mmCIF file of all heavy atoms in Angstrom:
data_model
loop_
_atom_site.group_PDB
_atom_site.id
_atom_site.type_symbol
_atom_site.label_atom_id
_atom_site.label_comp_id
_atom_site.label_asym_id
_atom_site.label_seq_id
_atom_site.Cartn_x
_atom_site.Cartn_y
_atom_site.Cartn_z
ATOM 1 N N LYS V 316 -53.458 76.882 128.532
ATOM 2 C CA LYS V 316 -52.771 75.592 128.660
ATOM 3 C C LYS V 316 -53.737 74.523 129.171
ATOM 4 O O LYS V 316 -53.770 73.397 128.666
ATOM 5 C CB LYS V 316 -51.583 75.744 129.609
ATOM 6 C CG LYS V 316 -50.756 74.502 129.739
ATOM 7 C CD LYS V 316 -50.019 74.223 128.478
ATOM 8 C CE LYS V 316 -48.551 74.300 128.729
ATOM 9 N NZ LYS V 316 -47.787 73.853 127.577
ATOM 10 N N LYS V 317 -54.552 74.888 130.159
ATOM 11 C CA LYS V 317 -55.530 73.941 130.713
ATOM 12 C C LYS V 317 -56.565 73.547 129.650
ATOM 13 O O LYS V 317 -56.917 72.374 129.524
ATOM 14 C CB LYS V 317 -56.222 74.571 131.924
ATOM 15 C CG LYS V 317 -57.152 73.649 132.649
ATOM 16 C CD LYS V 317 -57.711 74.304 133.897
ATOM 17 C CE LYS V 317 -58.658 73.371 134.619
ATOM 18 N NZ LYS V 317 -59.217 73.989 135.825
ATOM 19 N N ALA V 318 -57.027 74.521 128.874
ATOM 20 C CA ALA V 318 -58.005 74.239 127.818
ATOM 21 C C ALA V 318 -57.383 73.378 126.716
ATOM 22 O O ALA V 318 -58.047 72.495 126.157
ATOM 23 C CB ALA V 318 -58.551 75.544 127.245
ATOM 24 N N GLU V 319 -56.119 73.630 126.395
ATOM 25 C CA GLU V 319 -55.437 72.806 125.394
ATOM 26 C C GLU V 319 -55.307 71.369 125.881
ATOM 27 O O GLU V 319 -55.505 70.425 125.108
ATOM 28 C CB GLU V 319 -54.058 73.386 125.073
ATOM 29 C CG GLU V 319 -54.107 74.640 124.232
ATOM 30 C CD GLU V 319 -52.751 75.299 124.056
ATOM 31 O OE1 GLU V 319 -51.810 74.993 124.837
ATOM 32 O OE2 GLU V 319 -52.629 76.130 123.141
ATOM 33 N N ASN V 320 -54.972 71.197 127.151
ATOM 34 C CA ASN V 320 -54.859 69.844 127.713
ATOM 35 C C ASN V 320 -56.208 69.129 127.686
ATOM 36 O O ASN V 320 -56.273 67.938 127.373
ATOM 37 C CB ASN V 320 -54.320 69.897 129.137
ATOM 38 C CG ASN V 320 -52.843 70.235 129.183
ATOM 39 O OD1 ASN V 320 -52.133 70.059 128.205
ATOM 40 N ND2 ASN V 320 -52.391 70.726 130.312
ATOM 41 N N ALA V 321 -57.271 69.835 128.009
ATOM 42 C CA ALA V 321 -58.610 69.236 127.979
ATOM 43 C C ALA V 321 -58.972 68.811 126.561
ATOM 44 O O ALA V 321 -59.552 67.744 126.348
ATOM 45 C CB ALA V 321 -59.640 70.217 128.519
ATOM 46 N N LYS V 322 -58.609 69.638 125.585
ATOM 47 C CA LYS V 322 -58.882 69.307 124.178
ATOM 48 C C LYS V 322 -58.099 68.072 123.767
ATOM 49 O O LYS V 322 -58.640 67.178 123.095
ATOM 50 C CB LYS V 322 -58.520 70.488 123.273
ATOM 51 C CG LYS V 322 -58.851 70.231 121.815
ATOM 52 C CD LYS V 322 -58.253 71.284 120.930
ATOM 53 C CE LYS V 322 -57.179 70.634 120.216
ATOM 54 N NZ LYS V 322 -56.261 71.086 119.406
ATOM 55 N N GLU V 323 -56.843 67.989 124.178
ATOM 56 C CA GLU V 323 -56.016 66.823 123.846
ATOM 57 C C GLU V 323 -56.567 65.550 124.487
ATOM 58 O O GLU V 323 -56.577 64.489 123.863
ATOM 59 C CB GLU V 323 -54.564 67.056 124.269
ATOM 60 C CG GLU V 323 -53.860 68.123 123.454
ATOM 61 C CD GLU V 323 -53.821 67.823 121.972
ATOM 62 O OE1 GLU V 323 -53.634 66.650 121.578
ATOM 63 O OE2 GLU V 323 -54.027 68.775 121.194
ATOM 64 N N GLN V 324 -57.037 65.659 125.721
ATOM 65 C CA GLN V 324 -57.631 64.493 126.390
ATOM 66 C C GLN V 324 -58.910 64.051 125.687
ATOM 67 O O GLN V 324 -59.161 62.857 125.528
ATOM 68 C CB GLN V 324 -57.905 64.799 127.855
ATOM 69 C CG GLN V 324 -56.658 64.903 128.692
ATOM 70 C CD GLN V 324 -56.946 65.280 130.131
ATOM 71 O OE1 GLN V 324 -58.056 65.660 130.488
ATOM 72 N NE2 GLN V 324 -55.928 65.189 130.975
ATOM 73 N N ALA V 325 -59.709 65.018 125.276
ATOM 74 C CA ALA V 325 -60.946 64.691 124.559
ATOM 75 C C ALA V 325 -60.628 64.043 123.217
ATOM 76 O O ALA V 325 -61.297 63.085 122.802
ATOM 77 C CB ALA V 325 -61.793 65.946 124.375
ATOM 78 N N ALA V 326 -59.604 64.543 122.529
ATOM 79 C CA ALA V 326 -59.212 63.958 121.244
ATOM 80 C C ALA V 326 -58.712 62.525 121.452
ATOM 81 O O ALA V 326 -59.028 61.636 120.647
ATOM 82 C CB ALA V 326 -58.132 64.812 120.591
ATOM 83 N N ALA V 327 -57.962 62.300 122.517
ATOM 84 C CA ALA V 327 -57.478 60.951 122.809
ATOM 85 C C ALA V 327 -58.643 60.002 123.085
ATOM 86 O O ALA V 327 -58.624 58.845 122.659
ATOM 87 C CB ALA V 327 -56.520 60.988 123.997
ATOM 88 N N ALA V 328 -59.656 60.496 123.779
ATOM 89 C CA ALA V 328 -60.835 59.667 124.064
ATOM 90 C C ALA V 328 -61.565 59.307 122.770
ATOM 91 O O ALA V 328 -62.009 58.166 122.597
ATOM 92 C CB ALA V 328 -61.771 60.397 125.019
ATOM 93 N N VAL V 329 -61.663 60.267 121.851
ATOM 94 C CA VAL V 329 -62.312 59.997 120.560
ATOM 95 C C VAL V 329 -61.511 58.947 119.797
ATOM 96 O O VAL V 329 -62.077 57.986 119.263
ATOM 97 C CB VAL V 329 -62.461 61.292 119.732
ATOM 98 C CG1 VAL V 329 -62.881 60.977 118.303
ATOM 99 C CG2 VAL V 329 -63.462 62.223 120.387
ATOM 100 N N ARG V 330 -60.188 59.112 119.742
ATOM 101 C CA ARG V 330 -59.346 58.136 119.021
ATOM 102 C C ARG V 330 -59.475 56.753 119.646
ATOM 103 O O ARG V 330 -59.576 55.750 118.937
ATOM 104 C CB ARG V 330 -57.890 58.589 119.032
ATOM 105 C CG ARG V 330 -57.593 59.727 118.089
ATOM 106 C CD ARG V 330 -56.095 59.968 117.941
ATOM 107 N NE ARG V 330 -55.463 60.337 119.200
ATOM 108 C CZ ARG V 330 -55.343 61.576 119.653
ATOM 109 N NH1 ARG V 330 -55.814 62.584 118.943
ATOM 110 N NH2 ARG V 330 -54.742 61.816 120.809
ATOM 111 N N LYS V 331 -59.475 56.701 120.970
ATOM 112 C CA LYS V 331 -59.567 55.417 121.665
ATOM 113 C C LYS V 331 -60.886 54.716 121.335
ATOM 114 O O LYS V 331 -60.909 53.514 121.070
ATOM 115 C CB LYS V 331 -59.447 55.639 123.166
ATOM 116 C CG LYS V 331 -59.459 54.377 123.982
ATOM 117 C CD LYS V 331 -59.283 54.686 125.456
ATOM 118 C CE LYS V 331 -59.351 53.421 126.286
ATOM 119 N NZ LYS V 331 -59.205 53.701 127.720
ATOM 120 N N LEU V 332 -61.980 55.476 121.360
ATOM 121 C CA LEU V 332 -63.280 54.864 121.050
ATOM 122 C C LEU V 332 -63.394 54.492 119.578
ATOM 123 O O LEU V 332 -64.033 53.490 119.246
ATOM 124 C CB LEU V 332 -64.414 55.805 121.456
ATOM 125 C CG LEU V 332 -64.633 55.918 122.964
ATOM 126 C CD1 LEU V 332 -65.653 56.995 123.277
ATOM 127 C CD2 LEU V 332 -65.083 54.583 123.539
ATOM 128 N N ASN V 333 -62.814 55.269 118.700
ATOM 129 C CA ASN V 333 -62.855 54.930 117.271
ATOM 130 C C ASN V 333 -62.052 53.673 116.977
ATOM 131 O O ASN V 333 -62.378 52.924 116.054
ATOM 132 C CB ASN V 333 -62.356 56.100 116.417
ATOM 133 C CG ASN V 333 -63.390 57.193 116.301
ATOM 134 O OD1 ASN V 333 -64.583 56.963 116.446
ATOM 135 N ND2 ASN V 333 -62.931 58.407 116.048
ATOM 136 N N ASP V 334 -61.009 53.421 117.759
ATOM 137 C CA ASP V 334 -60.196 52.222 117.577
ATOM 138 C C ASP V 334 -60.814 50.990 118.240
ATOM 139 O O ASP V 334 -60.407 49.871 117.966
ATOM 140 C CB ASP V 334 -58.791 52.440 118.156
ATOM 141 C CG ASP V 334 -57.984 53.444 117.345
ATOM 142 O OD1 ASP V 334 -58.360 53.724 116.180
ATOM 143 O OD2 ASP V 334 -56.987 53.967 117.888
ATOM 144 N N ASN V 335 -61.802 51.200 119.097
ATOM 145 C CA ASN V 335 -62.433 50.114 119.827
ATOM 146 C C ASN V 335 -63.665 49.636 119.061
ATOM 147 O O ASN V 335 -64.669 50.340 118.981
ATOM 148 C CB ASN V 335 -62.832 50.590 121.226
ATOM 149 C CG ASN V 335 -63.432 49.494 122.074
ATOM 150 O OD1 ASN V 335 -63.633 48.368 121.624
ATOM 151 N ND2 ASN V 335 -63.714 49.835 123.320
ATOM 152 N N PRO V 336 -63.623 48.423 118.511
ATOM 153 C CA PRO V 336 -64.786 47.928 117.754
ATOM 154 C C PRO V 336 -66.015 47.674 118.632
ATOM 155 O O PRO V 336 -67.132 47.624 118.140
ATOM 156 C CB PRO V 336 -64.281 46.628 117.122
ATOM 157 C CG PRO V 336 -63.098 46.227 117.919
ATOM 158 C CD PRO V 336 -62.522 47.464 118.525
ATOM 159 N N LYS V 337 -65.817 47.549 119.936
ATOM 160 C CA LYS V 337 -66.935 47.293 120.840
ATOM 161 C C LYS V 337 -67.600 48.579 121.338
ATOM 162 O O LYS V 337 -68.617 48.521 122.015
ATOM 163 C CB LYS V 337 -66.464 46.482 122.041
ATOM 164 C CG LYS V 337 -66.002 45.086 121.674
ATOM 165 C CD LYS V 337 -65.578 44.311 122.894
ATOM 166 C CE LYS V 337 -65.103 42.920 122.506
ATOM 167 N NZ LYS V 337 -64.682 42.162 123.685
#
Side-chain angles (χ1 to χ4, degrees):
K316 184 69 117 172
K317 185 175 179 180
E319 286 173 343
N320 287 339
K322 183 191 109 186
E323 292 301 321
Q324 289 177 349
V329 169
R330 285 191 298 271
K331 183 178 178 181
L332 287 173
N333 284 336
D334 291 343
N335 183 356
K337 295 181 181 180

